[in-house]
Amino acid sequence: MSFPLLTLTAAVPAAGAIVTAAVPAARRTAAKWVALLFSLATLVLAAVVAFRFDSGAKGPYQLSESYEWIPAFGVRYELGVDGIAVALIALTAVLIPFVILAGWHDADRLETDGPGERRSRWRPTQGFFALILAVEAMVVISFEATDVFLFYLFFEAMLIPMYFLIGGFGDRAGEHGEERAATQRSYAAVKFLLYNLAGGLIMLAAVIGLYVVTADDLGSGTFSLQQIVQARDAGDLDIATGTERWLFLGFFFAFAVKAPLWPLHTWLPNAMGEATAPVAVLITAVVDKVGTFAMLRFCLQLFPEASSWATPVILVLALISILYGALVAVGQRDIKRLVAYASISHFGFIVLGIFAMTSQGQGGATLYMVNHGISTAALMLVAGFLISRRGSRLIADYGGVQKVAPVLAGTFLVAGLATLSLPGLAPFVSEFLVLVGTFSRYPAVGIVATVGIVLAALYVLVLYQRTMTGPVKAEVRAMPDLKARELVVVVPLVALLVFLGVYPKPLTNLVDPAVRHTLSVVDRHDPQPQQKTEAAR
């Protein structure tokens, strides 16, 4: 039996969550360091996974683990990674230490503000960092799971720690008093939970339906992705067209909520606006990627005919997400809600690339998941540092920041330029591939999607102009620049944006074989260019 490396990669942050939660109440600093060390250990394991993964090897999944779990219902503990999963596990492992460092003092105020006796017994510092590690563990195993039921279990379980991170540790920098802010946090947390639970319940019905279909055709039900795909390819499993389409819709609905895709997106601006900046990064840069990843792994591979059938409608929804998210971002007064709506637009590009059904489109969509995670993390964390200094999320409360905090303003500008996909920074490569891949099959869709690029430049540059340039407002005159801990968070993210912008080859080499495998399962090929020559005619 091979060493269970994938299990260990998910088990380390889970163990870290338990150990962090068990740290005595008076040892708050110790709890922070324990959480950081466990996140760094997970990063090391993710690096080992990436090092051991061979992009040239045959077979769709590597480092596989498979054990009987609930044999009576065909449920197995089955893990395996392809290049897409490896890239997203690496993204998660890289971001979590920065999330922890950025949120180093976010729970401290709960130790002293308000009714101290009750909050001291609650031990908010230990809980805050334990919940972050719990989310990391569940996200990692979701990227590794090749058993549908196992994936579903952690796909839903991660909602619990996220609910408490939004509602219990939310942002205190609102426009109104603490009581109103608490109400808004609770509303955002409940809305997040209800939307995602609704999607999960619909998906559960589809998961049960998939089991029934496999039991009818194969003699015994199974949730194994590899077994289902192999049985279908061999002709042993023949899902009726209507049944397949209903099952696809059940899966896709849940993933579209998580992604989020218009019109199922409305929980995201509330959640990101009311969460602290590190938790907002956890939502959009880590957790939401599970939705788009699952579209590639499960929707396309389990239901290839239904995926092709639904493509025209999904492309329209992706286009609406791109344009709607960007347009609403332009008019935002709240910095964090602006980043949230920008993310809705970016997720539209990701879904567009996935369902363009071309190697460039899906490769670009996978790169977009990684690059969006890095660029949004950088932008949101710098915005969080800015908001913590002024105590306001409103754009109008800032002005002239670059004159008093030039390093903060400079990193904010680089992160913003990455968000608008400036050439030379990482998101440009992925957005370019998505548009090229889309245009090669759906020219009209590709042309309309480019409007999102223009709107992105508008909301990013207007945000920078209103907050960083102009006369120095009295409230920001004494604003300090980035401190050492904050620089440790921001500088590596900016460096990654530059490195992957000028040298994306390691990522493209990693994900391309997985993209080709996915397209082969769906039986789609890149469109061939038309040769309008005399010989061709």
Side-chain angles (χ1 to χ4, degrees):
M1 184 179 298
S2 61
F3 182 75
L5 180 58
L6 297 184
T7 295
L8 189 62
T9 306
V12 166
I18 296 171
V19 174
T20 302
V23 173
R27 306 294 299 276
R28 296 183 315 192
T29 302
K32 297 174 185 178
W33 281 105
V34 167
L36 180 61
L37 290 174
F38 271 95
S39 70
L40 291 173
T42 306
L43 177 58
V44 171
L45 288 170
V48 174
V49 169
F51 179 77
R52 290 191 57 186
F53 183 83
D54 181 5
S55 57
K58 293 182 179 180
Y61 304 107
Q62 298 179 40
L63 307 176
S64 299
E65 302 172 28
S66 183
Y67 310 94
E68 283 194 353
W69 183 17
I70 313 175
F73 296 100
V75 179
R76 299 184 64 84
Y77 178 82
E78 195 169 87
L79 307 180
V81 290
D82 56 11
I84 299 172
V86 171
L88 293 174
I89 290 169
L91 171 69
T92 302
V94 166
L95 291 182
I96 295 300
F98 297 130
V99 168
I100 290 173
L101 280 171
W104 201 252
H105 299 300
D106 282 1
D108 290 353
R109 64 183 181 276
L110 299 177
E111 301 279 359
T112 54
D113 293 351
E117 181 181 351
R118 180 178 65 84
R119 292 178 188 248
S120 177
R121 187 166 64 248
W122 180 34
R123 299 198 303 174
T125 298
Q126 287 84 342
F128 179 72
F129 293 104
L131 289 171
I132 290 174
L133 290 174
V135 171
E136 179 181 24
M138 294 175 186
V139 169
V140 168
I141 202 165
S142 296
F143 290 141
E144 297 172 343
T146 57
D147 182 276
V148 176
F149 186 86
L150 179 67
F151 169 83
Y152 174 80
L153 180 66
F154 289 100
F155 180 80
E156 289 295 284
M158 68 179 71
L159 302 180
I160 299 171
M162 286 307 308
Y163 169 81
F164 289 108
L165 284 169
I166 297 168
F169 299 92
D171 197 357
R172 264 68 180 173
E175 300 178 53
H176 309 285
E178 171 61 24
E179 183 177 350
R180 176 70 180 274
T183 302
Q184 291 174 334
R185 291 194 300 272
S186 297
Y187 172 78
V190 170
K191 189 174 184 180
F192 162 82
L193 188 64
L194 290 179
Y195 266 66
N196 283 275
L197 278 178
L201 288 174
I202 292 174
M203 181 181 171
L204 177 60
V207 168
I208 295 171
L210 180 66
Y211 176 83
V212 172
V213 169
T214 58
D216 287 344
D217 282 12
L218 303 179
S220 60
T222 181
F223 293 104
S224 171
L225 173 64
Q226 296 186 74
Q227 185 177 346
I228 292 171
V229 171
Q230 290 169 1
R232 188 189 63 235
D233 291 345
D236 298 328
L237 177 63
D238 183 18
I239 305 177
T241 300
T243 302
E244 180 177 335
R245 292 176 178 180
W246 280 111
L247 294 178
F248 168 85
L249 291 175
F251 277 72
F252 181 79
F253 184 86
F255 302 152
V257 172
K258 184 84 79 179
L261 185 69
W262 185 92
L264 306 171
H265 66 284
T266 59
W267 63 268
L268 183 67
N270 295 101
M272 288 184 66
E274 300 306 324
T276 61
V279 173
V281 170
L282 198 61
I283 294 169
T284 190
V286 177
V287 171
D288 288 353
K289 298 301 186 299
V290 178
T292 47
F293 165 80
M295 291 180 190
L296 278 167
R297 172 165 285 190
F298 296 105
C299 279
L300 267 60
Q301 298 193 42
L302 287 173
F303 315 112
E305 188 280 333
S307 298
S308 299
W309 163 75
T311 289
V313 174
I314 295 173
L315 292 179
V316 171
L317 296 179
L319 275 181
I320 296 174
S321 290
I322 292 169
L323 301 179
Y324 169 82
L327 283 170
V328 178
V330 171
Q332 285 301 302
R333 300 185 303 123
D334 184 309
I335 297 174
K336 291 168 71 177
R337 289 178 71 90
L338 185 151
V339 178
Y341 279 105
S343 290
I344 291 169
S345 180
H346 295 150
F347 276 104
F349 276 109
I350 294 171
V351 175
L352 186 70
I354 291 172
F355 284 90
M357 300 291 185
T358 61
S359 58
Q360 299 100 326
Q362 291 190 359
T366 304
L367 294 185
Y368 216 134
M369 293 185 221
V370 176
N371 295 332
H372 169 264
I374 300 170
S375 62
T376 300
L379 183 62
M380 179 58 82
L381 291 178
V382 177
F385 297 148
L386 177 70
I387 292 167
S388 67
R389 285 160 165 74
R390 174 67 176 83
S392 173
R393 305 199 307 254
L394 296 180
I395 297 172
D397 288 342
Y398 296 88
V401 173
Q402 66 181 10
K403 297 175 182 177
V404 297
V407 177
L408 187 154
T411 53
F412 190 82
L413 177 61
V414 174
L417 293 175
T419 298
L420 63 83
S421 300
L422 184 77
L425 297 174
F428 169 76
V429 179
S430 44
E431 193 163 276
F432 177 78
L433 286 173
V434 166
L435 290 173
V436 168
T438 303
F439 186 84
S440 66
R441 193 179 292 278
Y442 305 102
V445 175
I447 291 171
V448 175
T450 57
V451 177
I453 302 175
V454 179
L455 294 173
L458 181 61
Y459 62 70
V460 167
L461 295 178
V462 168
L463 172 64
Y464 184 84
Q465 180 190 40
R466 293 177 178 175
T467 56
M468 301 297 167
T469 65
V472 180
K473 291 203 171 184
E475 295 84 358
V476 304
R477 199 172 298 278
M479 180 179 289
D481 212 336
L482 293 181
K483 300 175 182 178
R485 173 181 59 86
E486 296 166 333
L487 286 171
V488 170
V489 172
V490 175
V491 171
L493 294 175
V494 171
L496 275 173
L497 289 173
V498 175
F499 174 77
L500 293 175
V502 299
Y503 190 64
K505 186 178 179 180
L507 266 181
T508 56
N509 288 347
L510 182 65
V511 305
D512 281 351
V515 167
R516 289 195 297 269
H517 169 73
T518 302
L519 287 173
S520 68
V521 171
V522 187
D523 195 23
R524 299 296 289 269
H525 307 281
D526 289 338
Q528 297 299 315
Q530 295 181 0
Q531 300 292 334
K532 293 185 178 181
T533 64
E534 289 297 329
R537 288 197 292 267

Coordinates of all heavy atoms in Angstrom, one line a residue, residues 268 272 284 329 332 334-346 372 375-377 379-380 383 412 419 459 463:
L268 N -22.8 36.4 -2.1 CA -21.4 36.7 -2.0 C -21.1 38.2 -1.6 O -20.3 38.4 -0.7 CB -20.7 36.5 -3.4 CG -19.2 36.7 -3.4 CD1 -18.5 35.7 -2.5 CD2 -18.7 36.6 -4.8
M272 N -18.9 38.7 1.7 CA -17.5 39.3 1.7 C -17.6 40.7 2.3 O -16.6 41.1 2.9 CB -17.1 39.4 0.2 CG -16.7 38.1 -0.4 SD -16.0 38.3 -2.1 CE -14.5 39.2 -1.8
T284 N -13.7 33.8 -1.3 CA -13.7 33.9 -2.8 C -12.5 33.3 -3.4 O -12.5 32.9 -4.6 CB -13.8 35.4 -3.2 OG1 -14.0 35.5 -4.6 CG2 -12.5 36.2 -2.8
A329 N -19.9 46.7 -9.9 CA -18.7 47.1 -9.2 C -18.3 48.5 -9.5 O -17.8 49.2 -8.6 CB -17.5 46.2 -9.7
Q332 N -20.1 50.9 -7.0 CA -20.1 50.6 -5.5 C -19.4 51.7 -4.7 O -18.5 52.4 -5.2 CB -19.3 49.3 -5.3 CG -20.0 48.0 -5.6 CD -21.3 47.9 -4.9 OE1 -21.4 47.9 -3.6 NE2 -22.4 47.8 -5.6
D334 N -18.7 50.9 -1.4 CA -18.0 50.1 -0.4 C -16.9 49.3 -1.0 O -17.1 48.6 -2.0 CB -19.0 49.1 0.2 CG -18.5 48.3 1.4 OD1 -17.4 47.7 1.2 OD2 -19.1 48.2 2.4
I335 N -15.7 49.4 -0.5 CA -14.5 48.8 -1.1 C -14.6 47.3 -1.2 O -14.4 46.7 -2.2 CB -13.2 49.2 -0.3 CG1 -13.0 50.7 -0.3 CG2 -12.0 48.4 -0.8 CD1 -11.8 51.1 0.6
K336 N -15.1 46.7 -0.1 CA -15.1 45.2 -0.1 C -16.2 44.7 -1.0 O -16.1 43.6 -1.6 CB -15.3 44.7 1.4 CG -14.1 45.0 2.2 CD -14.3 44.8 3.7 CE -14.5 43.3 4.0 NZ -14.7 43.1 5.5
R337 N -17.3 45.4 -1.1 CA -18.4 45.0 -2.0 C -18.0 45.1 -3.4 O -18.4 44.4 -4.3 CB -19.7 45.7 -1.7 CG -20.3 45.3 -0.3 CD -21.6 46.1 -0.1 NE -22.7 45.7 -1.0 CZ -23.6 44.7 -0.7 NH1 -23.5 44.0 0.4 NH2 -24.5 44.5 -1.6
L338 N -17.2 46.1 -3.7 CA -16.6 46.3 -5.0 C -15.8 45.1 -5.4 O -15.9 44.6 -6.5 CB -15.8 47.6 -5.1 CG -15.3 48.0 -6.5 CD1 -15.1 49.5 -6.6 CD2 -13.9 47.3 -6.8
V339 N -14.9 44.6 -4.5 CA -14.1 43.5 -4.8 C -15.0 42.2 -5.0 O -14.7 41.4 -5.8 CB -13.1 43.2 -3.7 CG1 -12.2 42.0 -4.0 CG2 -12.1 44.5 -3.6
A340 N -16.1 42.2 -4.2 CA -17.0 41.0 -4.3 C -17.7 41.0 -5.7 O -17.7 39.9 -6.3 CB -18.1 41.1 -3.2
Y341 N -18.2 42.1 -6.2 CA -18.8 42.1 -7.5 C -17.8 41.9 -8.6 O -18.1 41.3 -9.6 CB -19.5 43.4 -7.7 CG -20.9 43.5 -7.0 CD1 -21.1 44.2 -5.9 CD2 -22.0 42.7 -7.6 CE1 -22.4 44.2 -5.2 CE2 -23.2 42.7 -6.9 CZ -23.4 43.4 -5.8 OH -24.6 43.4 -5.2
A342 N -16.6 42.4 -8.4 CA -15.5 42.1 -9.4 C -15.2 40.6 -9.5 O -15.0 40.0 -10.5 CB -14.2 42.8 -9.0
S343 N -15.3 39.9 -8.3 CA -15.1 38.5 -8.3 C -16.2 37.7 -9.0 O -16.0 36.7 -9.7 CB -15.0 38.0 -6.9 OG -13.8 38.4 -6.3
I344 N -17.5 38.2 -8.9 CA -18.6 37.6 -9.7 C -18.3 37.7 -11.2 O -18.5 36.8 -11.9 CB -19.9 38.4 -9.3 CG1 -20.3 38.1 -7.9 CG2 -21.0 38.0 -10.3 CD1 -21.4 38.9 -7.4
S345 N -17.8 38.9 -11.6 CA -17.4 39.0 -13.0 C -16.3 38.0 -13.4 O -16.4 37.4 -14.5 CB -16.9 40.5 -13.3 OG -16.6 40.7 -14.6
H346 N -15.3 37.9 -12.5 CA -14.2 37.0 -12.8 C -14.7 35.5 -12.9 O -14.2 34.7 -13.7 CB -13.1 37.1 -11.8 CG -12.5 38.5 -11.9 ND1 -11.9 39.1 -10.8 CD2 -12.3 39.4 -12.9 CE1 -11.4 40.3 -11.1 NE2 -11.7 40.5 -12.4
H372 N -6.8 34.3 -10.1 CA -7.8 35.1 -9.5 C -7.6 34.9 -7.9 O -7.8 35.9 -7.2 CB -9.2 34.6 -9.9 CG -10.3 35.2 -9.0 ND1 -10.8 34.6 -8.0 CD2 -10.9 36.4 -9.1 CE1 -11.8 35.3 -7.4 NE2 -11.8 36.5 -8.0
S375 N -4.6 37.2 -7.0 CA -4.8 38.6 -7.2 C -5.9 39.2 -6.3 O -5.7 40.2 -5.7 CB -5.2 38.9 -8.7 OG -6.4 38.3 -9.0
T376 N -7.0 38.4 -6.1 CA -8.0 38.9 -5.2 C -7.6 38.8 -3.8 O -7.9 39.7 -3.0 CB -9.3 38.0 -5.4 OG1 -9.7 38.1 -6.7 CG2 -10.4 38.4 -4.4
A377 N -6.7 37.8 -3.4 CA -6.2 37.8 -2.0 C -5.3 39.0 -1.8 O -5.4 39.7 -0.7 CB -5.3 36.5 -1.9
L379 N -5.4 42.0 -3.4 CA -6.3 43.2 -3.3 C -7.1 43.3 -2.1 O -7.1 44.4 -1.4 CB -7.2 43.2 -4.6 CG -8.0 44.5 -4.7 CD1 -7.2 45.7 -4.9 CD2 -9.0 44.3 -5.9
M380 N -7.7 42.2 -1.7 CA -8.6 42.3 -0.5 C -7.8 42.4 0.8 O -8.2 43.2 1.7 CB -9.4 41.0 -0.5 CG -10.4 40.9 0.7 SD -11.6 42.3 0.8 CE -12.8 41.7 -0.3
A383 N -6.7 46.0 1.0 CA -7.9 46.8 1.3 C -8.2 46.6 2.8 O -8.6 47.6 3.4 CB -9.0 46.3 0.4
F412 N -1.4 48.2 -3.4 CA -2.8 48.2 -3.8 C -3.0 48.4 -5.3 O -3.8 47.8 -5.9 CB -3.5 49.4 -3.0 CG -5.0 49.4 -3.1 CD1 -5.8 48.6 -2.3 CD2 -5.6 50.2 -4.1 CE1 -7.2 48.6 -2.4 CE2 -7.0 50.3 -4.2 CZ -7.8 49.5 -3.4
T419 N -6.0 42.6 -11.0 CA -7.4 42.3 -11.1 C -8.0 42.7 -12.5 O -8.9 42.0 -13.0 CB -8.1 43.1 -10.0 OG1 -7.7 42.7 -8.7 CG2 -9.6 42.9 -10.1
Y459 N -13.5 50.1 -13.1 CA -13.8 50.1 -11.6 C -12.5 50.0 -10.8 O -12.4 50.6 -9.7 CB -14.7 49.0 -11.2 CG -14.3 47.6 -11.5 CD1 -13.3 46.9 -10.8 CD2 -15.1 46.8 -12.4 CE1 -13.0 45.6 -11.1 CE2 -14.8 45.5 -12.7 CZ -13.7 44.9 -12.0 OH -13.4 43.6 -12.2
L463 N -11.4 53.3 -8.4 CA -11.2 52.9 -7.0 C -9.9 53.5 -6.5 O -9.8 54.1 -5.5 CB -11.3 51.4 -6.8 CG -10.8 50.9 -5.4 CD1 -11.8 51.5 -4.3 CD2 -10.8 49.4 -5.4

